[in-house]
Amino acid sequence: MRQLQLKRIDTPTLVKWGSTKYDASSILSAFKFLNLIDDQGKVTENYTALRPDATYKDQLSRIVRSAYARLFELHGDSFEGKNRKDIADTIILDDAYPETAKKSADKAASLFIWLCSQSGIATGSKDATAKVVGATRASSEVKRPAIKPAATKTPPAPTQISQVSGFPLSVSLVITPANTEAEIYEMFRKLNNTLKRLEDENSSN
């Protein structure tokens, strides 16, 4: 999003760039929490500060430390010995952020750890990137290693998923035991969004 140099970020903006309305609600909440946008959706100086690549990590570190000041008060300057469960427990059990619903604590902790990984703040968790739905969409710097199928297994043949304006569209998805439920959901969500966009574009031509 920082590459787009937007003046306003709201639900229609996020939907335009590929988010579902459900995801948009979570993204906007996170952006407000990080003070990247105000209550009206106007971008703030924090959002503007994230654009220069050379200062991205330093600026993000400043933003993270400010937004999560209570966590840093409780744990000090380093989270190197803290895993995702430790941080989730702090958010809920230590009342760092009492407004966070218990069922959201794990997701909130994963987001915090991912932000730390982007800003150079060390944590003891290595699995946050895979647990933040849409994280690869949020930053072009996030690149997950490709998951290759086992050598003994042959990828499935392309399966016809849908038909767009009279021509067949075949898509092959390879899912392995290493894929999380969130990753599989995201694959199908992106595929569904792509099909809808293709249908819209072809119907308007």
Side-chain angles (χ1 to χ4, degrees):
M1 296 299 293
R2 64 193 174 95
Q3 303 294 338
L4 300 176
Q5 299 186 5
L6 299 171
K7 299 295 184 183
R8 180 182 179 82
I9 302 176
D10 52 18
T11 298
T13 304
L14 294 173
V15 170
K16 175 183 176 181
W17 290 100
S19 295
T20 65
K21 287 185 178 180
Y22 176 82
D23 286 340
S25 176
S26 297
I27 294 169
L28 292 175
S29 293
F31 279 16
K32 288 177 184 177
F33 179 77
L34 294 169
N35 193 26
L36 299 179
I37 59 175
D38 62 20
D39 289 338
Q40 285 71 47
K42 286 184 60 179
V43 299
T44 65
E45 291 182 358
N46 276 353
Y47 171 81
T48 305
L50 289 177
R51 293 176 189 171
D53 290 339
T55 61
Y56 173 63
K57 279 194 173 182
D58 289 341
Q59 291 294 339
L60 184 58
S61 176
R62 173 184 62 79
I63 291 168
V64 169
R65 291 176 187 278
S66 175
Y68 291 94
R70 179 59 178 153
L71 278 182
F72 285 95
E73 287 175 10
L74 291 169
H75 288 291
D77 196 53
S78 175
F79 289 81
E80 198 161 1
K82 305 296 180 183
N83 60 29
R84 185 164 44 84
K85 185 179 183 305
D86 294 331
I87 295 170
D89 287 347
T90 299
I91 291 173
I92 297 300
L93 300 182
D94 293 343
D95 290 333
Y97 299 96
E99 70 278 8
T100 303
K102 186 174 182 179
K103 65 181 180 180
S104 301
D106 187 70
K107 185 176 180 180
S110 294
L111 174 61
F112 172 74
I113 293 166
W114 181 81
L115 288 167
C116 286
S117 73
Q118 293 297 289
S119 58
I121 301 171
T123 70
S125 182
K126 304 297 183 184
D127 63 345
T129 300
K131 291 190 174 290
V132 179
V133 176
T136 54
R137 211 170 49 237
S139 170
S140 59
E141 296 179 6
V142 182
K143 294 182 179 178
R144 282 189 240 167
I147 300 174
K148 297 181 179 179
T152 56
K153 295 182 180 179
T154 303
T159 303
Q160 184 168 310
I161 302 297
S162 183
Q163 190 169 351
V164 181
S165 295
F167 62 89
L169 177 67
S170 296
V171 179
S172 178
L173 295 178
V174 177
I175 298 173
T176 74
N179 291 115
T180 65
E181 181 181 350
E183 289 173 326
I184 296 169
Y185 167 82
E186 188 68 4
M187 289 181 196
F188 283 100
R189 190 191 67 77
K190 287 184 176 180
L191 174 60
N192 186 56
N193 285 346
T194 300
L195 292 173
K196 287 181 179 178
R197 290 179 67 179
L198 285 171
E199 290 171 353
D200 291 342
E201 289 174 4
N202 278 276
S203 63
S204 62
N205 291 337

